[in-house]
Amino acid sequence: MPNLRGASLPYSLGYVPGPWLQSIQVSKGASSVKSGYESITGQINIEYMKPQGIDGFRANAYLDNKLKQELNLDGSIHLNQRLSTSLLLHAENRQTDHDADGDGFMDMPKQKQLNGMWRMAYVSPGWISQFSVRAEGDNSISAGQSHL
């Protein structure tokens, strides 16, 4: 499922919360004919947590010395032996001014970000089917601050 493209490309990995990741594969050069023209210079494949993985709920909170706050919630339920669903939620907030070099311009933007993903998976001996819906909101402000 391609997701690091278009207007989100410069910030693409910033829209992938760490607790959502199961693995990352990186290939340099032409990785696969089936991936088309987008794989000519290489690929980054991001594998999200799978609904058929561990059943249960997890929470993760983060606060750093620059007052960046993050909250991650995820959970999955096995509806029956073949059908599983999961919900992944992420909230990020950084609203303090950062001007470490004192030049009057912010070094990092103020940011509010909300991400959510709902996934379903059906796994049978003959075939596998997956369904995913993802929503994302990002508000970043990087206007300069005057110290005069």
Side-chain angles (χ1 to χ4, degrees):
M1 175 174 43
N3 66 354
L4 307 179
R5 55 178 18 168
S8 72
L9 191 61
Y11 310 103
S12 54
L13 288 177
Y15 295 139
V16 180
W20 291 14
L21 294 178
Q22 183 166 329
S23 66
I24 296 178
Q25 296 91 31
V26 178
S27 64
K28 295 171 26 177
S31 63
S32 174
V33 173
K34 71 178 182 177
S35 300
Y37 67 92
E38 292 180 333
S39 68
I40 289 176
T41 59
Q43 278 184 311
I44 299 175
N45 183 40
I46 297 170
E47 190 172 3
Y48 292 103
M49 300 297 279
K50 295 181 176 153
Q52 64 270 30
I54 299 172
D55 199 9
F57 174 80
R58 296 184 314 163
N60 174 338
Y62 172 80
L63 176 67
D64 69 9
N65 63 345
K66 305 289 186 193
L67 300 179
K68 175 184 175 182
Q69 306 136 26
E70 287 188 20
L71 178 64
N72 297 287
L73 304 170
D74 63 76
S76 64
I77 299 171
H78 299 275
L79 301 173
N80 59 38
Q81 191 170 351
R82 296 184 179 177
L83 184 63
S84 303
T85 184
S86 66
L87 181 64
L88 308 167
L89 301 171
H90 169 79
E92 183 176 330
N93 185 29
R94 178 179 39 222
Q95 295 300 308
T96 55
D97 291 341
H98 298 282
D99 186 13
D101 55 4
D103 65 353
F105 294 94
M106 285 197 288
D107 298 331
M108 290 188 296
K110 294 180 180 180
Q111 183 178 27
K112 288 183 182 177
Q113 186 183 114
L114 295 171
N115 294 349
M117 181 186 291
W118 173 60
R119 300 184 73 188
M120 288 196 82
Y122 180 82
V123 180
S124 73
W127 55 282
I128 297 173
S129 177
Q130 296 186 55
F131 176 76
S132 177
V133 175
R134 183 170 182 184
E136 188 172 282
D138 184 24
N139 184 8
S140 297
I141 300 170
S142 61
Q145 302 285 325
S146 175
H147 295 292
L148 299 177

